[in-house]
Amino acid sequence: MSVKAKKHLGQHFLTDESIAKNIADALTGTNYDNILEIGPGMGVLTKYLLQKKPKITVLELDRESVSYLKNTFWLEHIKLDTSKDKFTILEGDFLKQNIEEIFDKKQVAIIGNFPYNISTQIVFKAIEHREFVPEFAGMFQKEVAMRIAEKEGSKVYGILSVLTQAFFDVEYLFTVPPAVFNPPPKVDSGVIRLIRKENYTLPVDEKLFFRVVKTAFNQRRKMLRSSLKSFNLSDSLKEDPIFTKRPEQLSVEAFISLTQKLANHGV
């Protein structure tokens, strides 16, 4: 039995074993006993994850893939431990799942060869539930992976970069060419690793921080005094040199400082 990739699910099955192993090895295995793989397909990554110490849970939306994993995968990998204590197969949409409930509020690392069309939403959900997600690794469209990992001063540095790096240390690991997928995507892919910062809470109001970052980058070519005018900046606040900068020039720490300045002025 094999599974046919479905375009509407954004499926591109990885066929290169060495790359699959390298993605699995992107996880350090530190400070958690559970790994959640999103979109395992036919388990090319799963079999390498099963060789690791943590318990593996896979979450798949495609019913054909779920059937394969339940009925065929274990027969093809008879030497792997696929017992209930080690391996759980769940059917569903990750974006609609309650991570805390599935893992009973235990720490869980997230990994996957993520569908391009929902990959940024997956990252934002991991950020939202970062209390339970100490580590995150996976494959994205290269452009998105680079955007997540990029530092200030770059044209691709933006909302996704700042909000991810506020809570996680991000490392771009390697690039994956289209030829190692079936069917091949039209672009390169990139693998990144996120490790939660030791202090993953902000010293400022989180909702205000998110609002400041998103508002600033919505008009990324303008200076902050213009892009943030909806915050009703006072004349004295506008005199601060930070407001003469464009958002892509601000580090995560600078955005935190900017949020504090706004909070101090009653925004």
Side-chain angles (χ1 to χ4, degrees):
M1 179 183 175
S2 62
V3 179
K4 184 178 179 181
K6 297 166 186 64
K7 189 174 181 179
H8 73 280
L9 293 177
Q11 290 177 325
H12 296 276
F13 293 136
L14 181 64
T15 58
D16 188 299
E17 296 290 338
S18 63
I19 292 175
K21 185 178 186 305
N22 287 341
I23 295 171
D25 288 344
L27 291 179
T28 67
T30 306
N31 298 324
Y32 53 85
D33 296 317
N34 291 279
I35 295 174
L36 171 63
E37 182 188 359
I38 300 170
M42 288 187 289
V44 65
L45 179 58
T46 313
K47 60 177 174 283
Y48 294 107
L49 294 174
L50 283 167
Q51 296 172 33
K52 297 182 178 297
K53 186 178 177 181
K55 178 182 177 181
I56 308 302
T57 299
V58 297
L59 180 61
E60 177 60 68
L61 183 60
D62 177 28
R63 288 184 177 179
E64 188 181 8
S65 293
V66 171
S67 178
Y68 174 87
L69 291 166
K70 288 182 175 179
N71 300 306
T72 306
F73 176 81
W74 69 275
L75 289 171
E76 294 183 347
H77 304 285
I78 199 74
K79 293 182 180 180
L80 294 175
D81 182 0
T82 55
S83 65
K84 290 183 179 180
D85 291 335
K86 175 68 176 179
F87 185 42
T88 301
I89 302 165
L90 301 177
E91 181 177 348
D93 181 348
F94 171 72
L95 299 178
K96 297 177 181 177
Q97 302 300 309
N98 188 317
I99 299 173
E100 292 98 308
E101 283 187 7
I102 293 174
F103 296 97
D104 194 25
K105 296 189 176 181
K106 293 184 176 71
Q107 299 292 292
V108 54
I110 294 176
I111 194 168
N113 171 18
F114 304 121
Y116 290 162
N117 57 345
I118 62 167
S119 62
T120 56
Q121 293 170 271
I122 291 172
V123 174
F124 281 130
K125 181 158 184 176
I127 292 171
E128 181 185 350
H129 298 278
R130 63 189 178 278
E131 180 183 352
F132 307 102
V133 184
E135 198 169 45
F136 180 108
M139 184 150 51
F140 298 78
Q141 183 176 335
K142 183 181 179 182
E143 179 186 342
V144 175
M146 291 183 69
R147 195 183 307 151
I148 295 170
E150 195 58 87
K151 296 297 183 183
E152 69 274 11
S154 165
K155 290 184 178 179
V156 300
Y157 178 76
I159 295 171
L160 192 56
S161 320
V162 176
L163 298 186
T164 305
Q165 293 172 37
F167 308 106
F168 291 88
D169 292 318
V170 184
E171 184 179 1
Y172 186 97
L173 299 177
F174 56 90
T175 300
V176 182
V180 298
F181 294 92
N182 180 28
K186 295 180 180 179
V187 294
D188 284 344
S189 300
V191 177
I192 60 173
R193 173 173 56 221
L194 280 58
I195 296 180
R196 188 178 61 199
K197 292 183 175 181
E198 190 171 336
N199 183 3
Y200 53 87
T201 58
L202 296 179
V204 293
D205 182 82
E206 187 178 306
K207 288 184 178 179
L208 180 59
F209 176 77
F210 276 59
R211 185 179 154 212
V212 168
V213 173
K214 290 177 179 179
T215 304
F217 278 107
N218 280 341
Q219 300 182 71
R220 62 179 300 137
R221 294 183 180 179
K222 293 186 177 182
M223 288 189 289
L224 293 170
R225 64 170 53 152
S226 296
S227 59
L228 297 180
K229 63 182 180 182
S230 63
F231 287 85
N232 296 318
L233 307 175
S234 66
D235 290 338
S236 61
L237 194 57
K238 288 179 185 177
E239 290 176 6
D240 191 306
I242 198 169
F243 289 96
T244 64
K245 294 186 176 183
R246 293 179 174 82
E248 66 190 40
Q249 296 176 286
L250 270 62
S251 65
V252 172
E253 291 73 21
F255 267 109
I256 292 172
S257 176
L258 173 61
T259 303
Q260 188 61 61
K261 290 176 190 290
L262 292 168
N264 289 343
H265 280 74
V267 171

